[in-house]
Amino acid sequence: MGLFRSMRTWRKRSPLVQLLVSRVWQGIVTLVIVSILIFWATEVLPGNAAYAVLGHNASPAEVHSLEIQLHLNRGLFAQYVSWVAGVLSGHLGTSIASGVPVWTLLKPRLVNSAVLAVAAGVVGATVAVLLGVLAAARKDSKLDDAVSGFALATIALPEFVVAITLVILLSTVVWHFFPGVSVLAPGTYPWNAPKLMILPVAALVIIVVPYIFRMTRAAMIEALESDFCEMARLKGVPRGRMLLVHALPNALPPIVQVTALTFLYLAGGIVIVEEAFAYPGIGQGLVNAVSARDIPVIQAIVLLLAAFYVVVNIVADVVVLLLTPRRREAR
Amino acid sequence: MNYKDQEAGTSALPQADVSPSSGKSIYTRRDVLKGAAMGAGLFAGAKVLGPRNRAAAGPSSRSTSATPKRGGVLRVGMTSGGADDTIDPLVWPTNMDGLRVFQLYDSLTALDKQAQPQLALAEEFTPNANATEWTVRLREGVTFHDGKPLTIDDVIYTYKLVANPKNPLTGFVLLGPVDVANIKKLDSRTMRVPCHSPYESFFASQACYQFFIIPEGSNPETVRVGTGPFKFESFTPGEQSTFTRNDNYWQTGLPYVDKVVISDYADDTSQVNGLISGQLDLIGALLGDDIPAIKTGGCDVLVENGGAYGPFTMRVDQPPFDDIRVRQAMRLVVDRPEMLDLVFGGYGLIGNDLFAPFDPSYDHALPQRHADIEQAKFLLKQAGHEHLTVTLVTSDIGAGSIKAAQVFAEQASAAGVTVNLQQVPVSTLYGPNYLKWTFAQDVWTYYPYLPNAQETFIKGAVFNECHVNNAKYTRLFNEANATVNDGLRTELIHEMQTLEYNGEASGYIVPYFIPSIDGFTKHVHGLTPSDTSNPLGGFDLSNVWMD
C-alpha cells in the first residue's frame, strides 16, 4: 500500500514516467487496431493464397483442396483468434506460401533492413547536421546557397529516381564502380558483402539528408539569432564554442524530432529502395508476401513496423523531454 | 506412329549445341528463315507464320571456331518469383519455378528446340493399333541424383500422384484418358499403359512440362532428387537457389557448367542492371523495351519466337459473342502486324486465331486473317450490333497483355465497337471468376495441338475459357486420338482447325505468338532459341557454357 502510494506520487511528480506510461498504453491500443485492420484488409484483397500459390494452371479442384489444407475455408474471425493466440504465446505462425515458420523467414530480412536503415540513418543524420550547422553559421554564403539549393532539389525527387540515377551514373551506363543490384546470397549478411551496401545506403542518404539538413539549419539560425546568443557574442565567446555549446543544444529538440521521423520513414520507406536494388530486406519481404497473399507474413511484418513506429516515437518524445529542461519540471 | 529411339543409348534430344557468340547481338532463327523461306510474306517486315523448313531449323550460329568448355559458375536472373516460389516438379506456376524444375528433373518425353516431342527418359513409346494401349520402356542406366536407378515404378508412382482424384495435380487433365490404376509393370524398365479411350497424343502429352519423374515414395514438394542435368544444393524461396553439375547425367558430356545460381528479381530493370554491372551472366523473360539497355551495356540479346499465345477469350455461350458473326467481326478488327509492333516492338509471330503453330498438323493452308473493318462492320450490322459496347477484362498476366488490350480497344473503335477495359489484379483474373469472364485475356505456353485442344475446347475441358461446346469438334478430337496414321490424323486435325478458324468451335482471338527475350554477357555461349516459349532456350542451361 505504501509502495503503491509512493509510486503514485512519483508518477504524479515525474512527467517522464507519466509520458512513458501513457505512450505505452497508446502504443498497445494502436498495435491491436493495426492487427485488426490488416486482417480485414487482406480479406478485402481479391484472390487468396491458394490461387496465388497454384497459379492459373490450377484447376478449381486443385485450388479447393489447397484451401482446405491451408485452413483458408475457416472464417476470418477464427483465423484472427488463432493468430492472436499464437502471437501471445510467442509464435508468429507459419508462412502459407512457403511453409516455413514466419520468424525463420523474417529474421535475416529484419537484420538486413536494420543494417541498411541504421547505416543510412546514422550517415545521413551526421552529414545533415554537420551541413546544417555549417550552413547556419555561414548563412547566405555560397556554401549555404549551394547546399540549400541541392537539398531543395533532392526533396522534390521520388526515391526511385534517386536510386535509378545512382545506378545509371555509378554502375551501368556511365561508370562501372559499384554493383548495380544488391542481391545477398541467402545465409550471408550485409557485413559479408559491404560493397553491395554502397549504392542503397547512398540512395537513402541522399533521400533523408535534405529533411534533417533543412531543419537543422532553420533551428540553428533561430538559436543564433536569439537573445542569449547575442549576449554570448557580445561577451566575446569564440565562434566555434558558441555554435556547439550555446546554439546547438537549443536547436536540438526539433532536430531530434525530424531525425526520429527520418528513422520512421526509413523503416517503411526503404521498400522502394530495396525493390530498386533487389535487396532482400523487410520491404521486399512485404511486397512478396502481399502478392502471395501470405497473411501470416504480412501480419508479422506490419505489426513489427507498427511496433517500431511506436517505440521510435516514444524514444523521440523522451529524448526531447530530457533536452527541454522546462518541460522536465512537474506542471 | 511408333516413337522409338533409333540408336539405343543415344539421346533423342538435341545434343550439345555449339554456337559461340560473335559480334552480332540480336539474331533469331526465324530471321534467317524469313529471308530464305518467307520472302513471299504478305506484310513487308512482319514475320508471317509459314510452312516450317526443318532443314533450315538448326541452331543459329554466330560461330567462331570455339568448342564448348567445361566449368564455371553460371549466375542466372529471372523475374516472376516470390515468397511462394516452389521447386515442386508437378506444380510449378511461374517461369522462376520452371527454370528450377527443368534443371533437376526430366520427363519421359520432352519438346526439342523446334517444339517437337522427342523421347527423353523413355526409349520407346509404342501404341497398339487404335492407341488404346501403350507400351513404354525407359532408357537404360539412368540414375537419380542419389544414385538410385530409375525404374518404371518411379514413373507409375509419379502418374498416380498426378492423377490422384482426391488431390489432382496440374497434369491430371492430360492423364485423364489414361487408366492409371491399371498400368501394368512388365519389367523394371517397361510398362503397359491402358487408356479409357484412344489416346494417340499420349506421347506428345508427356512432353507438356507436367510429368517430371520423381523417385517412388517421395514427396514432390520436398524431394529435390531427380534425373536432370543439375543436382540440388540450396533453395531459399523468393531469393536464390543453387544447383551443382550432375556428373552422371544420362546425356553424356552435359551439362558444361559446374554450378548454377538462380536469383529472384522483382523487375526487369534490376535484372538488366545486374547483368550490365557484371553480377549476372544470363537473364530471361524480358520485354522488347529492355533490348536497347542491354545492348548499350555491352551484352547480347537472344529473341526466341516461341509458340506461347495470349488469346482474347470470348464466351460463345453469352451475348454478344453467342452470335458467331460477332466473334468473327472481333477477329477481323485486329490489325495483327500493328499489334505485334506496338506490343513487342515487332518481335514475335503473327497468329491466325489458332494455337500450336509448330505442330506438324498445323494447317498452314488456312489463309492468314487480316484486318477488314468493312467486313467486320457488315457482320456486326447483320447481327444487329452496329454500335456494340463490350467490356474486356485485362490484367498484367505477362508478355504485354495490358498493352495488347489497349491496342485492341483502339483498333476495334474503327469498326464502331466500344471496348471498355476493366483492369484487374492478376489474382482477380485467375481468382474465382477465372473461366467465367464474358470477354477477357489469358496466357498459354506452347503445347502440341491435341493436348492444347484437350485442355481448352473439347467437351468437358478444364480450361475452357470460351465455353466452347461443339459436338463435331469433340468427335473429331476423339477420332484423331484414335488414329495412329500421321496423314489421316493430320486431316482430322485440319478439320478441327477449320472449325476454330471459322469461329464455330472457338472463342479465341489469337493475334500473335509471344516472343521470349533473353540477355547474356559475352562470356555465355551455347544458348539456342527454343520454340517451346519457355525462356532461356526452353529453360535449357545444360547446353550453356562459359569462357
Side-chain angles (χ1 to χ4, degrees):
Chain A
M1 193 66 196
L3 179 72
F4 185 59
R5 183 176 298 142
S6 70
M7 260 181 72
R8 263 173 58 183
T9 48
W10 187 61
R11 247 178 74 180
K12 227 176 196 168
R13 216 176 278 139
S14 162
L16 185 66
V17 174
Q18 257 179 11
L19 179 102
L20 265 180
V21 170
S22 79
R23 284 300 154 87
V24 167
W25 271 116
Q26 285 170 10
I28 291 171
V29 172
T30 309
L31 292 182
V32 170
I33 295 173
V34 164
S35 76
I36 293 171
L37 275 180
I38 290 302
F39 237 97
W40 177 77
T42 40
E43 175 69 1
V44 174
L45 283 177
N48 65 30
Y51 287 105
V53 168
L54 291 172
H56 83 283
N57 272 334
S59 63
E62 214 177 332
V63 172
H64 186 64
S65 107
L66 186 67
E67 278 175 349
I68 292 171
Q69 213 179 312
L70 297 176
H71 306 297
L72 296 177
N73 52 343
R74 287 186 310 172
L76 191 65
F77 184 71
Q79 290 181 47
Y80 181 71
V81 168
S82 79
W83 178 77
V84 169
V87 170
L88 292 180
S89 59
H91 299 289
L92 286 172
T94 310
S95 156
I96 292 179
S98 59
V100 178
V102 171
W103 182 242
T104 316
L105 213 65
L106 287 191
K107 203 179 121 196
R109 286 185 179 276
L110 260 180
V111 173
N112 292 347
S113 279
V115 171
L116 180 57
V118 169
V122 169
V123 173
T126 313
V127 170
V129 170
L130 275 176
L131 286 176
V133 171
L134 278 178
R138 295 163 201 269
K139 189 171 162 247
D140 297 329
S141 69
K142 278 202 180 113
L143 175 97
D144 181 28
D145 287 351
V147 179
S148 296
F150 184 73
L152 207 59
T154 47
I155 270 183
L157 290 178
E159 292 91 339
F160 72 91
V161 173
V162 174
I164 290 172
T165 309
L166 283 182
V167 170
I168 289 174
L169 276 182
L170 300 176
S171 79
T172 58
V173 179
V174 185
W175 291 293
H176 288 67
F177 293 151
F178 305 115
V181 282
S182 309
V183 177
L184 289 169
T188 56
Y189 286 100
W191 50 86
N192 304 122
K195 211 175 166 191
L196 293 181
M197 302 297 294
I198 296 173
L199 287 189
V201 169
L204 285 173
V205 166
I206 291 174
I207 291 160
V208 301
V209 158
Y211 295 95
I212 307 179
F213 161 78
R214 283 164 60 87
M215 184 56 83
T216 307
R217 179 177 174 277
M220 281 295 288
I221 287 174
E222 200 192 327
L224 285 171
E225 284 171 355
S226 66
D227 293 343
F228 64 88
C229 280
E230 190 75 49
M231 185 64 172
R233 203 173 296 132
L234 291 173
K235 271 168 58 184
V237 174
R239 191 180 168 85
R241 185 179 157 79
M242 194 174 73
L243 276 177
L244 298 180
V245 179
H246 294 261
L248 187 58
N250 282 288
L252 270 182
I255 298 175
V256 168
Q257 291 285 17
V258 80
T259 308
L261 278 177
T262 302
F263 272 95
L264 292 183
Y265 157 78
L266 283 173
I270 49 177
V271 175
I272 289 163
V273 171
E274 285 182 2
E275 279 289 299
F277 290 99
Y279 183 78
I282 212 94
Q284 199 199 45
L286 184 59
V287 173
N288 281 346
V290 170
S291 58
R293 303 288 181 272
D294 198 342
I295 295 178
V297 179
I298 300 175
Q299 280 281 10
I301 295 180
V302 174
L303 210 67
L304 280 170
L305 287 178
F308 179 77
Y309 268 64
V310 168
V311 170
V312 171
N313 267 323
I314 294 175
V315 170
D317 285 346
V318 168
V319 172
V320 168
L321 198 72
L322 293 176
L323 287 173
T324 319
R326 64 198 135 84
R327 281 185 58 199
R328 275 205 301 266
E329 305 297 317
R331 267 160 290 182
Chain B
M1 182 171 165
N2 191 357
Y3 303 99
K4 212 165 185 178
D5 202 342
Q6 296 306 314
E7 299 165 65
T10 62
S11 158
L13 287 172
Q15 285 285 353
D17 286 318
V18 186
S19 59
S21 60
S22 67
K24 198 182 173 205
S25 53
I26 297 189
Y27 62 97
T28 70
R29 188 180 64 248
R30 229 163 296 275
D31 281 337
V32 181
L33 278 176
K34 194 179 71 187
M38 284 159 212
L42 282 160
F43 311 98
K47 302 169 201 78
V48 184
L49 199 60
R52 292 175 57 72
N53 183 343
R54 284 274 151 240
S60 46
S61 64
R62 307 180 287 167
S63 67
T64 53
S65 59
T67 46
K69 255 177 67 178
R70 271 283 327 274
V73 177
L74 183 67
R75 299 160 302 168
V76 187
M78 181 64 76
T79 50
S80 79
D84 47 359
D85 273 359
T86 172
I87 203 161
D88 180 342
L90 302 178
V91 183
W92 56 271
T94 66
N95 275 336
M96 189 78 222
D97 301 326
L99 179 56
R100 276 187 292 265
V101 165
F102 273 66
Q103 308 320 316
L104 288 185
Y105 300 96
D106 290 309
S107 45
L108 298 186
T109 67
L111 297 183
D112 63 16
K113 298 280 181 175
Q114 286 76 44
Q116 303 306 310
Q118 305 287 0
L119 292 162
L121 288 180
E123 64 176 18
E124 182 188 338
F125 258 74
T126 311
N128 63 1
N130 60 348
T132 51
E133 192 179 83
W134 286 79
T135 305
V136 176
R137 194 169 67 243
L138 292 175
R139 191 176 288 280
E140 198 171 3
V142 179
T143 54
F144 283 103
H145 298 151
D146 59 2
K148 185 185 110 56
L150 170 75
T151 68
I152 208 71
D153 294 316
D154 303 309
V155 179
I156 298 173
Y157 171 78
T158 306
Y159 279 10
K160 286 188 170 160
L161 270 185
V162 171
N164 176 6
K166 283 192 195 113
N167 185 20
L169 304 181
T170 315
F172 89 107
V173 177
L174 296 181
L175 273 189
V178 174
D179 184 1
V180 175
N182 289 312
I183 293 178
K184 193 163 183 280
K185 173 183 174 181
L186 299 181
D187 61 49
S188 68
R189 287 198 290 134
T190 321
M191 64 179 176
R192 184 165 295 150
V193 182
C195 301
H196 299 300
S197 56
Y199 196 22
E200 205 285 331
S201 58
F202 179 50
F203 175 75
S205 77
Q206 293 311 294
C208 291
Y209 331 111
Q210 300 166 1
F211 306 97
F212 291 99
I213 306 303
I214 57 171
E216 187 184 7
S218 61
N219 176 349
E221 284 177 53
T222 53
V223 53
R224 291 157 194 191
V225 167
T227 56
F230 292 94
K231 298 199 272 191
F232 177 82
E233 187 179 82
S234 74
F235 170 49
T236 311
E239 295 184 35
Q240 204 170 69
S241 46
T242 57
F243 305 104
T244 56
R245 184 179 195 269
N246 175 9
D247 294 326
N248 299 317
Y249 190 45
W250 56 273
Q251 297 206 56
T252 319
L254 297 182
Y256 293 119
V257 298
D258 290 333
K259 185 172 174 172
V260 172
V261 178
I262 299 171
S263 303
D264 282 70
Y265 279 78
D267 54 64
D268 283 359
T269 312
S270 54
Q271 223 182 193
V272 171
N273 288 340
L275 182 77
I276 296 171
S277 66
Q279 290 158 280
L280 288 169
D281 305 303
L282 177 59
I283 57 180
L286 305 166
L287 290 174
D289 311 350
D290 298 320
I291 292 178
I294 296 174
K295 288 168 72 183
T296 315
C299 296
D300 278 347
V301 172
L302 174 69
V303 179
E304 307 178 57
N305 287 327
Y309 61 106
F312 295 87
T313 61
M314 304 176 281
R315 266 185 73 167
V316 303
D317 61 340
Q318 278 189 351
F321 305 115
D322 53 352
D323 189 321
I324 190 169
R325 290 169 296 194
V326 176
R327 299 204 290 275
Q328 293 302 80
M330 297 304 262
R331 288 168 158 189
L332 286 169
V333 301
V334 187
D335 182 341
R336 294 152 204 254
E338 184 187 65
M339 189 178 273
L340 204 60
D341 266 347
L342 291 172
V343 180
F344 298 112
Y347 299 104
L349 301 171
I350 287 169
N352 203 18
D353 303 322
L354 302 169
F355 46 73
F358 307 132
D359 195 292
S361 310
Y362 185 87
D363 193 350
H364 294 279
L366 290 169
Q368 173 63 50
R369 190 166 271 135
H370 317 294
D372 187 340
I373 298 297
E374 289 316 307
Q375 179 66 11
K377 277 182 170 168
F378 174 73
L379 286 171
L380 286 171
K381 194 173 176 188
Q382 262 198 338
H385 286 293
E386 258 179 285
H387 301 288
L388 182 64
T389 299
V390 290
T391 299
L392 171 61
V393 179
T394 182
S395 176
D396 189 14
I397 48 181
S401 51
I402 294 176
K403 222 171 180 179
Q406 290 163 344
V407 174
F408 179 80
E410 182 60 34
Q411 294 180 343
S413 67
V417 180
T418 309
V419 180
N420 295 319
L421 296 182
Q422 182 193 345
Q423 191 180 330
V424 299
V426 178
S427 51
T428 303
L429 186 88
Y430 291 128
N433 274 329
Y434 178 51
L435 307 175
K436 292 183 187 150
W437 307 110
T438 305
F439 188 31
Q441 285 169 294
D442 203 348
V443 165
W444 280 86
T445 189
Y446 180 79
Y447 283 66
Y449 182 77
L450 286 175
N452 202 334
Q454 192 175 348
E455 300 248 8
T456 53
F457 285 163
I458 65 163
K459 191 176 183 330
V462 175
F463 299 105
N464 193 342
E465 310 104 325
C466 307
H467 294 233
V468 171
N469 186 5
N470 185 299
K472 189 179 173 198
Y473 186 85
T474 304
R475 183 175 55 75
L476 286 166
F477 172 85
N478 290 330
E479 264 179 62
N481 251 325
T483 309
V484 290
N485 178 297
D486 288 345
L488 292 177
R489 191 176 59 250
T490 298
E491 279 174 34
L492 293 164
I493 290 177
H494 283 188
E495 270 192 73
M496 293 172 75
Q497 290 183 325
T498 305
L499 288 177
E500 288 177 45
Y501 182 77
N502 66 21
E504 283 175 65
S506 169
Y508 274 171
I509 306 169
V510 184
Y512 52 73
F513 293 97
I514 300 162
S516 165
I517 299 170
D518 313 318
F520 52 100
T521 64
K522 302 273 185 205
H523 302 291
V524 172
H525 309 276
L527 191 69
T528 47
S530 154
D531 290 341
T532 63
S533 74
N534 288 324
L536 305 180
F539 297 135
D540 173 23
L541 301 185
S542 64
N543 279 297
V544 173
W545 59 277
M546 304 173 73
D547 62 26

